[in-house]
Amino acid sequence: MLRQYENSIDDKRQFTALVKDIFPEEAKNINLILMAYNMGIAQDIQKANLLNNTFAFRYVKQLMDDYGISRVNADWIVSVWCSCYGNKVLGKACDISVQKQGGGPAIKDNKSYSGKSYGDLFVYEKSRRGNGLAVTGFRGDKNKTIIFQNRSGNENVIEIADNSFSKSSIEEAILTEGFKYIGLNTFSDCEKLHQVVLPVSVEEIENSAFENCNSLKSISLPVLLKTIGDAAFKGTGLRTLDIPKSVFWIGDDLLAECQSLEHIKIPDNIARITDRMFMNCSRLKKVELHEKLNSIGERAFFGCSNLDFIIIPDSVQQIGQDAFTGTDDMFIVQCSFGSFAEQYCRKNKIKYQLV
């Protein structure tokens, strides 16, 4: 089909209609094909030099986490795309074969050059945060993309330990289901790190975990995440960040120095904008606050030179020193008559508009 209608792959409407016409009685397989297609697998296959386990596992994991697809079905459809489209149509080098659907995984565990299993290349210690092991290092020679394994022998692996990959050359970090903790400075100063896949199980991201990962443009935070530490994403390349409803605590300097950050929406489970949370985010243009917010920390928006207005709800009863110093010359606060925000603006000679 793909050989005959290769041009349809870049037209979503045409491709969807074509798949449904050719396989009218196979609703389950149609859905699997289109799920992977809508995730962008075709375009990524076109760009890839080699279709291997590392490439495929990203999609397997996303299908499992985001759509609830079983490992067998996720594994099968990703291998179909890689082998049939990538290898047979585009002629890409492909290490993945397609097995009979439901007959077991086509994407096998990685093997090192020495014949050891992929999991044997990790270094572990006892976790100090929970009952299980923590990853402290990786001994493989192919360390640009690392798929963190959730088991070692009979023990669960639940943590990536403090400082374990700081300043390393890692480019992609893929954590499998079961990891709960990302330690202090775990990936800090990893300048080439551009993709991070976190499982639903992650509950805590510690201080400076991804600080100064300036190639990291986006990240999807897990829906069960509880806490995010100080400066966890400071100095990254993030353009925005969706904070899950499950988060009840965030640290200071969370997104400070993020020069690409343009838009942020504070969810109503976050009661306070912390100190220096967006300091020196020079491209930040749009900030959405909710009606339950109670305070804005010191220097929260200091140096946000592109921010020209903000709406502060009546619920805010505390605003820290220099919260809006260094914003756009035309910066104006929109607030209600008699609100704390109005009083703050008057005292600090900040332009405001009553709404």
Side-chain angles (χ1 to χ4, degrees), residues 182-186 205-211 228-232 249 251:
I182 300 176
L184 300 167
N185 297 297
T186 298
I205 298 176
E206 293 285 359
N207 297 354
S208 301
F210 297 97
E211 184 173 355
I228 310 175
D230 295 347
W249 187 87

Side-chain angles (χ1 to χ4, degrees), residues 129-331:
R129 294 181 171 90
N131 185 23
L133 298 178
V135 177
T136 61
F138 182 73
R139 295 174 296 197
D141 56 346
K142 297 179 180 179
N143 55 9
K144 291 184 178 180
T145 298
I146 300 179
I147 302 174
F148 291 86
Q149 307 295 292
N150 58 14
R151 296 280 294 178
S152 178
N154 295 323
E155 295 192 76
N156 293 324
V157 183
I158 62 171
E159 175 189 347
I160 304 181
D162 299 350
N163 305 298
S164 52
F165 292 89
S166 179
K167 298 181 180 179
S168 70
S169 59
I170 187 172
E171 296 181 10
E172 297 175 295
I174 302 171
L175 281 66
T176 52
E177 188 65 33
F179 278 89
K180 293 184 178 181
Y181 312 104
I182 300 176
L184 300 167
N185 297 297
T186 298
F187 297 104
S188 63
D189 297 296
C190 293
E191 296 182 353
K192 295 182 179 180
L193 182 64
H194 63 85
Q195 177 162 322
V196 176
V197 178
L198 301 178
V200 174
S201 55
V202 171
E203 298 178 359
E204 297 179 16
I205 298 176
E206 293 285 359
N207 297 354
S208 301
F210 297 97
E211 184 173 355
N212 293 330
C213 294
N214 49 35
S215 295
L216 186 62
K217 306 298 183 185
S218 64
I219 188 170
S220 179
L221 298 181
V223 296
L224 299 181
L225 186 65
K226 296 178 180 178
T227 64
I228 310 175
D230 295 347
F233 297 103
K234 180 179 179 180
T236 60
L238 294 177
R239 296 186 177 94
T240 189
L241 183 68
D242 292 329
I243 301 174
K245 294 283 188 180
S246 57
V247 174
F248 62 82
W249 187 87
I250 56 175
D252 296 336
D253 300 279
L254 179 64
L255 290 160
E257 314 289 344
C258 290
Q259 301 298 325
S260 298
L261 191 72
E262 298 176 351
H263 169 236
I264 193 74
K265 181 177 182 179
I266 307 298
D268 59 15
N269 50 301
I270 302 300
R272 180 175 185 266
I273 294 179
T274 57
D275 293 348
R276 303 173 302 279
M277 186 169 176
F278 303 105
M279 188 172 74
N280 292 331
C281 293
S282 58
R283 293 187 183 179
L284 183 61
K285 183 71 174 177
K286 184 178 181 181
V287 178
E288 298 180 62
L289 307 181
H290 59 82
E291 296 294 334
K292 297 179 182 179
L293 191 73
N294 59 41
S295 63
I296 298 173
E298 294 183 0
R299 297 192 170 198
F301 297 96
F302 183 97
C304 294
S305 55
N306 206 34
L307 186 64
D308 55 11
F309 88 98
I310 192 170
I311 301 173
I312 300 181
D314 293 349
S315 56
V316 172
Q317 296 299 308
Q318 182 179 355
I319 302 177
Q321 185 176 357
D322 294 324
F324 303 106
T325 300
T327 50
D328 187 271
D329 291 339
M330 301 299 292
F331 178 76

Side-chain angles (χ1 to χ4, degrees), residues 18-28 30:
L18 186 63
V19 170
K20 291 180 178 180
D21 286 345
I22 293 177
F23 307 109
E25 305 299 324
E26 300 182 41
K28 175 184 174 182
I30 289 173

